[in-house]
Amino acid sequence: MKPLDTILHVEDDPSIQAVARVALETVGGFNVTGCDDGQHALNVLATFRPDLILMDVMMPNMDGPTTLKHLQQDEALASIPVVFMTARIQPAEVEQYRALGAVDVLEKPFDPMTLAERLRAVWENVHGDT
């Protein structure tokens, strides 16, 4: 299994962007590219192929679920695992996001010291023991 290396982080809140970048780059050792909404992410994905996308659910212009639908319609992007991050973490909502195609849902606020390990665990779960 290829190790998780590159992450596209899609988040409209600058303070969450900053904390996540430190958590993922400094603590986790990942290469991170940030976007502030779904349309920006789709534009970046025209030339950038991350291993995983960490995406906020509620964003202006294009929210997470709408962005995920666009990804699923593009053969080149459909296989990139998407993890949603949201403050709305009720079981029914988590199931709804998974039914849309998210591989996991993480809660905001998140622990910056464990975010990288949580994403590695998701990556290993998606790719099994291969």
Side-chain angles (χ1 to χ4, degrees), residues 37-88:
D37 67 30
Q39 186 59 58
H40 184 199
L42 295 176
N43 294 344
V44 167
L45 288 165
T47 58
F48 174 66
R49 291 292 180 271
D51 296 326
L52 182 138
I53 299 170
L54 177 62
M55 184 162 34
D56 187 15
V57 170
M58 294 175 25
M59 298 178 287
N61 304 321
M62 185 183 295
D63 67 7
T66 302
T67 305
L68 178 57
K69 287 177 188 171
H70 283 278
L71 297 173
Q72 292 167 333
Q73 294 168 358
D74 186 324
E75 191 174 310
L77 304 175
S79 65
I80 301 172
V82 173
V83 175
F84 278 141
M85 188 175 278
T86 181
R88 300 181 65 166

Side-chain angles (χ1 to χ4, degrees), residues 16-31:
I16 294 174
Q17 287 175 5
V19 171
R21 183 173 289 276
V22 169
L24 296 173
E25 289 181 343
T26 305
V27 177
F30 298 120
N31 294 306

Side-chain angles (χ1 to χ4, degrees), residues 84-95:
F84 278 141
M85 188 175 278
T86 181
R88 300 181 65 166
I89 200 82
Q90 297 302 316
E93 290 166 317
V94 170
E95 280 310 306

